[in-house]
């Protein structure tokens, strides 16, 4: 595997010092050169970073010094004159969409009389991808014929193996009855056409331009208020309907999220956004029910946003919003690919896809197997619940079922033919439907088996330790549980032996940002973490409140503060609203952008947070009342924690902290002082035999735990 990129250091609390990422293309400005630099034409890419251009075009800005002769600026790409693509844009600046770029590197040069030339190298990638996620996954099933556009039409059969279709534009309008309908005739105005008032105070016909097409093998949709009788969208001249902000939507799921294009995006016909003039965008590959890979999600979002900018212009800022599987994306894209998102609304959140969730699910699977099949009558339901750490006993079975996402045979998507699916006996070379196989470009393969490396481990974990020390279970049950809980084999089937992680995969998880660090891009943007409380769901639910505190703990470890994160909790939809959160985030970002100070981003974030936007929860039921207080871990120790207890996980019961950021713990010998109950010499000997290499020492960093190597990493072909 090789990596390129990373233009900023990543903070990491483990070593108590900054980790300097891989710096590419960085150079110091020699002393005395500032005057000369001011005489140089400045060339920048607006629609994307210059190294991740896609689709053969890019929106470019050229800023000329005062010394440049008016009208003498010329722009060329590898000697081809493209000056006609540019128009004046503000003082001493030109902008334009440069088209017909060649695949690979393109040298863009700007010249003018009286000024030094400026240059920029653009690296252009196919619109079908990949850009930085590595080789495309195969097989890949096209869904264009099943995808329904906003008008109810389908996109038809794909034109190629990359599931491509022609881009189409549809116009929808909002009726005075409060529904969306297809605009019957772009030249007429329906009698029931509503009027929208944007956040900028402009009143415009509530007509929405919807663009649908394919990018990076996914199906994308964008939506903006735009009157079809007005001039076509122009990236240099914002239309009156667009307020200059973009909301990017991320969808949830994970089970079955591989090998398919997807039959839906998160949805872009959102009145909360559109009625205020926000641009809206999403892709089928940003719905984790179609694609459970944060790296591919980041790449797709980058490419779709690039397309949006080339069509409508540069947003003042971009807000990401997503729940559950959408929250994985908001966190990891913001941290690992800074600049794509300027602020995030992270709902029913987890810190990341591979660890914040998977470790808890796999532990639940092991506990469920032990309680049901190994020792079915040994523990009461309350004892089982205490060992799990969950608020509801039912969550053990619920989370165990969700652990099917690490089993290559359980959650294959319906579109994937059975003949192409992995089966250990009849089709061992078939497509494996699990999160690790889906991330093989990161982790690589085990040479001996050809299967993806797994950063999954439960060696040394003392399951039920806190339940033992609280007196909920006795030492004999504790010993039997840890002797016989076992682990999961390569196909996620129970084994007598504990699961030992592939250390190369563990190191890569940390180095590449698959384990959310929080010290890169996420440290410099505002976060609203919002949650409908489900820890007490009668059937059990994986969206547990402690996951929000996992992200907060990682921010604290990496940056020494979580001043950029606000946490909101409610029950059954009573309390905060999406419209309110969007307005708060808009106000927050607008104030940050207008702050002329030279302080660090975190200082500006803290200083400009809207006054009423604080950690809070709401009382239950209709007429819910807001309780503003710092959100902390615990059960019954605050008003909010009395209403919404922060339960724990099996690893936290075993001694891990809420950060949940250790893949494979370091070991220390079994010691009698671990146990706050009497321990006989025979029992201590048993425990030493169960843990011959020692038990987890949660007070030190895990094996292979380290800072990410940087941001904007690119993944090339992976070898074992």
């Amino acid at each position: 595997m090789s990596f390129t990129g990373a233009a900023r250091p990543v903070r990491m609390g483990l070593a108590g010092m900054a980790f300097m990422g891989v710096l590419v293309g960085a150079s110091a400005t020699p002393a005395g050169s500032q005057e000369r630099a001011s005489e140089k034409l400045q060339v920048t890419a607006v629609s994307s970073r210059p190294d991740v251009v896609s689709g053969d075009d890019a929106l470019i800005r050229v800023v000329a010094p005062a010394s440049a002769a008016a009208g003498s600026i010329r722009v060329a790409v590898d000697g081809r004159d493209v000056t006609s693509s540019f128009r004046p844009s503000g003082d001493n600046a030109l902008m334009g969409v440069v088209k017909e770029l060649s695949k690979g590197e393109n040298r863009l040069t700007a010249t003018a009389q009286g000024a030094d030339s400026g240059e920029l190298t653009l690296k252009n990638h196919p619109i079908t991808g990949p850009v930085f996620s590595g080789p495309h996954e195969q097989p890949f099933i096209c869904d264009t014929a099943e995808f329904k556009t906003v008008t109810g039409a389908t996109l038809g059969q794909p034109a190629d193996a990359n599931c491509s279709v022609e881009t189409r534009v549809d116009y929808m309008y909002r009726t005075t009855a409060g529904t969306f309908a297809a605009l019957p005739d772009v030249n007429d105005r329906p009698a029931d056409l509503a009027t929208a008032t944007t956040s900028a105070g402009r009143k415009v016909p509530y007509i929405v331009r919807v663009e649908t097409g394919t990018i990076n093998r996914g199906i994308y949709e964008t939506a903006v208020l735009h009157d079809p009788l007005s001039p076509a969208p122009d990236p240099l001249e914002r239309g009156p309907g667009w307020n200059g902000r973009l909301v990017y939507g991320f969808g949830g799921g994970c089970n079955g999220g591989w090998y398919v294009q997807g039959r839906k995006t998160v949805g872009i016909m959102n009145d909360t956004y559109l009625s205020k003039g926000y641009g809206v965008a999403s892709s089928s590959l940003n719905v984790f029910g179609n694609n459970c890979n944060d790296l591919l999600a980041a790449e797709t979002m980058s490419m779709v946003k690039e397309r949006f900018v080339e069509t409508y212009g540069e947003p003042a800022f971009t807000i990401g919003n997503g729940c559950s599987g959408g929250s994985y994306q908001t966190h990891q894209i913001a941290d690992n690919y800074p600049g794509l998102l300027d602020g995030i609304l992270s709902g029913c959140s987890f810190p990341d896809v591979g660890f914040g969730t998977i470790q808890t699910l796999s532990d639940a699977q092991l506990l469920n197997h032990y309680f049901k099949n190994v020792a079915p009558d040994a523990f009461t339901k309350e004892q089982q619940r205490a060992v799990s750490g969950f608020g509801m006993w039912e969550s053990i079975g619920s989370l165990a079922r969700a652990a099917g996402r690490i089993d290559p045979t359980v959650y294959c998507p319906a579109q994937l033919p059975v003949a192409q699916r992995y089966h250990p006996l009849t089709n061992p070379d078939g497509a494996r439907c699990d999160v690790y196989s889906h991330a093989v470009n990161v982790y690589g393969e085990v040479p001996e088996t050809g299967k993806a490396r797994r950063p999954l481990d439960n060696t040394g974990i003392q399951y039920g330790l806190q339940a033992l020390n609280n007196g909920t279970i006795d030492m004999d049950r504790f010993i039997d549980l840890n002797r016989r809980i076992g682990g999961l084999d390569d196909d996620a089937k129970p084994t007598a032996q504990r699961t030992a992680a592939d250390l190369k995969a563990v190191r890569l998880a940390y180095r590449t940002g698959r384990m959310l660090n929080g010290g890169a891009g996420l440290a410099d943007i505002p976060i609203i973490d919002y949650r409908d409380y489900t820890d007490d769901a009668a059937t059990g639910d994986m969206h547990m409140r402690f996951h929000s505190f996992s992200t907060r703990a990682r921010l604290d470890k990496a940056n020494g503060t979580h001043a950029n994160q606000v946490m909101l909790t409610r029950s059954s939809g009573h309390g905060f609203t999406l419209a309110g959160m969007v307005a708060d985030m808009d106000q927050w970002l607008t104030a940050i952008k207008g702050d002329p100070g030279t302080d660090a981003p975190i200082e500006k974030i803290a200083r400009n947070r809207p006054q009423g936007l604080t950690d809070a929860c709401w009382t239950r039921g209709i007429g819910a009342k807001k309780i503003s207080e710092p959100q902390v871990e615990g059960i019954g120790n605050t008003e909010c924690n009395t209403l919404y207890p922060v339960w724990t996980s099996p690893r936290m019961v075993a001694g891990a902290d809420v950060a949940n950021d250790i893949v494979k713990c370091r070991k220390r010998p079994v010691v009698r002082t671990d146990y706050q109950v009497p321990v006989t010499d025979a029992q201590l000997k048993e425990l030493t035999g169960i843990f011959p290499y020692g038990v987890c020492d949660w007070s030190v960093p895990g094996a292979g735990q380290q800072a990410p190597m940087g941001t904007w990493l690119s993944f090339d072909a992976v070898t074992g």
Side-chain angles (χ1 to χ4, degrees), residues 549-565:
F549 291 94
S550 295
T551 303
R552 176 164 287 189
R554 296 190 198 182
L555 291 170
D556 285 334
K557 283 188 177 185
N559 312 310
T561 181
H562 59 262
N564 59 321
Q565 186 202 45

Side-chain angles (χ1 to χ4, degrees), residues 588-656:
W588 202 353
L589 290 169
T590 300
I592 293 168
K593 189 178 180 68
D595 190 329
T598 57
D599 294 329
I602 189 64
E603 300 297 330
K604 290 189 175 185
I605 291 170
R607 180 164 62 240
N608 290 289
R609 178 170 51 83
Q611 185 174 4
L613 182 60
T614 61
D615 275 10
C617 70
W618 279 257
T619 56
R620 293 174 180 262
I622 298 172
K625 304 298 184 182
K626 183 178 181 181
I627 301 172
S628 295
E629 64 180 18
Q631 301 297 287
V632 297
E633 298 172 68
I635 299 172
N637 55 329
T638 67
E639 285 190 72
C640 288
N641 289 351
T642 299
L643 286 165
Y644 307 112
V646 184
W647 296 98
T648 57
S649 71
R651 296 197 181 203
M652 292 167 70
V653 174

Side-chain angles (χ1 to χ4, degrees), residues 73 143 217 234 260 302 314 326 354 399 415 433 441 526 542 691:
I73 297 176
D143 281 321
R217 304 200 301 179
D234 185 339
V260 297
S302 173
E314 182 180 13
L399 270 66
Q415 300 98 304
C433 301
N441 286 353
M542 64 186 290
F691 298 106

Side-chain angles (χ1 to χ4, degrees), residues 32 143-144 175 184 355 546 604 618 676 701:
D143 281 321
T144 54
T175 70
F355 306 95
F546 81 84
K604 290 189 175 185
W618 279 257
Q676 298 170 24

Side-chain angles (χ1 to χ4, degrees), residues 368-702:
N368 192 61
H369 174 72
Y370 172 83
F371 293 141
K372 283 192 170 184
N373 303 307
V374 179
D377 301 316
F379 289 71
T380 67
K381 284 186 176 181
E382 175 53 26
Q383 288 173 329
Q384 293 176 22
R385 188 207 62 75
V387 168
S388 74
F390 305 148
M392 299 290 289
W393 171 82
E394 289 80 3
S395 292
I396 300 172
S398 175
L399 270 66
R401 290 187 291 275
R405 64 189 63 182
I406 66 174
D407 186 320
T409 64
V410 172
Y411 286 126
C412 287
Q415 300 98 304
L416 182 66
V418 173
Q420 296 185 38
R421 303 179 189 180
Y422 167 81
H423 187 281
L425 300 178
T426 61
N427 193 16
D429 296 324
R432 294 170 59 86
C433 301
D434 65 279
V435 291
Y436 302 117
S437 300
H438 197 41
V440 70
N441 286 353
V442 176
Y443 298 127
E445 296 177 346
V446 178
E448 295 79 11
T449 65
K451 297 176 182 177
R453 300 180 185 275
R454 291 192 313 172
L456 182 67
D457 195 284
N458 75 330
T459 59
I461 295 177
Q462 299 190 78
Y463 288 102
L465 180 61
Q466 183 179 325
L468 169 70
N469 288 333
N470 288 343
T472 307
I473 64 174
D474 60 27
M475 180 58 78
D476 288 338
R477 286 182 174 84
F478 175 76
I479 288 174
D480 189 72
L481 169 64
N482 282 285
R483 180 194 294 117
R484 298 202 288 166
I485 191 169
L488 300 168
D489 67 13
D490 288 345
D491 288 349
K493 301 301 186 288
T495 63
Q497 295 76 35
R498 297 282 184 113
T499 306
D502 184 299
L503 277 173
K504 181 175 181 179
V506 172
R507 289 190 290 269
L508 286 169
Y510 291 112
R511 296 185 72 204
T512 68
R514 308 285 69 75
M515 165 74 79
L516 181 74
N517 174 263
L522 199 63
D524 295 338
I525 68 168
I527 305 163
I528 298 178
D529 181 292
Y530 64 97
R531 181 176 300 278
D532 275 297
Y533 189 74
T534 60
D535 287 44
D536 56 0
T539 57
D541 193 280
M542 64 186 290
H543 301 93
M544 296 175 178
R545 193 173 176 220
F546 81 84
H547 289 294
S548 291
F549 291 94
S550 295
T551 303
R552 176 164 287 189
R554 296 190 198 182
L555 291 170
D556 285 334
K557 283 188 177 185
N559 312 310
T561 181
H562 59 262
N564 59 321
Q565 186 202 45
V566 172
M567 197 180 295
L568 309 176
T569 305
R570 69 179 182 181
S571 173
S572 303
H574 301 292
F576 57 79
T577 64
L578 176 60
M581 289 190 295
V582 171
D584 282 339
M585 181 59 75
D586 193 324
Q587 182 182 344
W588 202 353
L589 290 169
T590 300
I592 293 168
K593 189 178 180 68
D595 190 329
T598 57
D599 294 329
I602 189 64
E603 300 297 330
K604 290 189 175 185
I605 291 170
R607 180 164 62 240
N608 290 289
R609 178 170 51 83
Q611 185 174 4
L613 182 60
T614 61
D615 275 10
C617 70
W618 279 257
T619 56
R620 293 174 180 262
I622 298 172
K625 304 298 184 182
K626 183 178 181 181
I627 301 172
S628 295
E629 64 180 18
Q631 301 297 287
V632 297
E633 298 172 68
I635 299 172
N637 55 329
T638 67
E639 285 190 72
C640 288
N641 289 351
T642 299
L643 286 165
Y644 307 112
V646 184
W647 296 98
T648 57
S649 71
R651 296 197 181 203
M652 292 167 70
V653 174
D657 67 26
V658 71
N660 200 17
D661 60 352
I662 291 178
V663 180
K664 182 180 182 66
C665 66
R666 295 189 184 276
K667 313 300 191 293
R668 58 165 176 76
V670 175
V671 292
R672 193 183 296 270
T673 53
D674 274 349
Y675 315 110
Q676 298 170 24
V677 297
V679 185
T680 67
D681 290 343
Q683 289 170 331
L684 192 63
K685 184 177 180 179
E686 280 192 85
L687 288 166
T688 302
I690 292 170
F691 298 106
Y693 302 106
V695 295
C696 288
D697 184 351
W698 300 108
S699 67
V700 298

Side-chain angles (χ1 to χ4, degrees), residues 218-491:
I219 300 169
Y220 78 93
E221 294 179 302
T222 62
V224 173
L225 286 177
H226 178 261
D227 189 337
L229 296 180
S230 65
D234 185 339
L236 274 66
E237 189 172 345
R238 183 185 303 168
W242 183 37
N243 68 3
R245 289 102 163 99
L246 173 63
V247 177
Y248 202 101
F250 300 97
C254 185
N255 299 341
W258 22 75
Y259 305 112
V260 297
Q261 183 180 41
R263 297 177 178 180
K264 64 178 181 179
T265 72
V266 76
I268 42 81
M269 299 307 297
N270 187 311
D271 179 61
T272 297
Y273 305 143
L274 293 170
S275 64
K276 297 300 181 182
Y278 291 92
V280 188
S282 187
S283 167
S284 61
L285 294 184
N286 289 119
V287 175
F288 261 30
N290 304 322
N291 159 52
C292 193
N293 179 332
D294 72 282
L295 179 61
L296 181 57
E299 177 179 75
T300 302
M301 190 247 161
S302 173
M303 296 173 75
V304 172
K305 182 178 178 180
E306 177 186 3
R307 168 68 183 179
F308 183 93
V309 175
E310 290 166 354
T311 303
Y312 296 104
E314 182 180 13
F317 46 75
T318 301
I319 300 171
N321 181 31
C323 173
S324 188
S327 74
Y328 303 138
Q329 298 177 72
T330 61
H331 286 144
Q332 293 188 269
I333 292 174
D335 208 35
N336 298 326
Y337 294 90
L340 290 179
L341 295 170
D342 300 295
I344 61 172
L345 309 176
S346 184
C348 41
S349 71
F350 304 91
D352 49 47
V353 60
F355 306 95
T357 310
I358 293 298
Q359 292 185 159
T360 303
L361 299 184
S362 62
D363 287 339
Q365 181 179 353
L366 291 172
L367 290 173
N368 192 61
H369 174 72
Y370 172 83
F371 293 141
K372 283 192 170 184
N373 303 307
V374 179
D377 301 316
F379 289 71
T380 67
K381 284 186 176 181
E382 175 53 26
Q383 288 173 329
Q384 293 176 22
R385 188 207 62 75
V387 168
S388 74
F390 305 148
M392 299 290 289
W393 171 82
E394 289 80 3
S395 292
I396 300 172
S398 175
L399 270 66
R401 290 187 291 275
R405 64 189 63 182
I406 66 174
D407 186 320
T409 64
V410 172
Y411 286 126
C412 287
Q415 300 98 304
L416 182 66
V418 173
Q420 296 185 38
R421 303 179 189 180
Y422 167 81
H423 187 281
L425 300 178
T426 61
N427 193 16
D429 296 324
R432 294 170 59 86
C433 301
D434 65 279
V435 291
Y436 302 117
S437 300
H438 197 41
V440 70
N441 286 353
V442 176
Y443 298 127
E445 296 177 346
V446 178
E448 295 79 11
T449 65
K451 297 176 182 177
R453 300 180 185 275
R454 291 192 313 172
L456 182 67
D457 195 284
N458 75 330
T459 59
I461 295 177
Q462 299 190 78
Y463 288 102
L465 180 61
Q466 183 179 325
L468 169 70
N469 288 333
N470 288 343
T472 307
I473 64 174
D474 60 27
M475 180 58 78
D476 288 338
R477 286 182 174 84
F478 175 76
I479 288 174
D480 189 72
L481 169 64
N482 282 285
R483 180 194 294 117
R484 298 202 288 166
I485 191 169
L488 300 168
D489 67 13
D490 288 345
D491 288 349

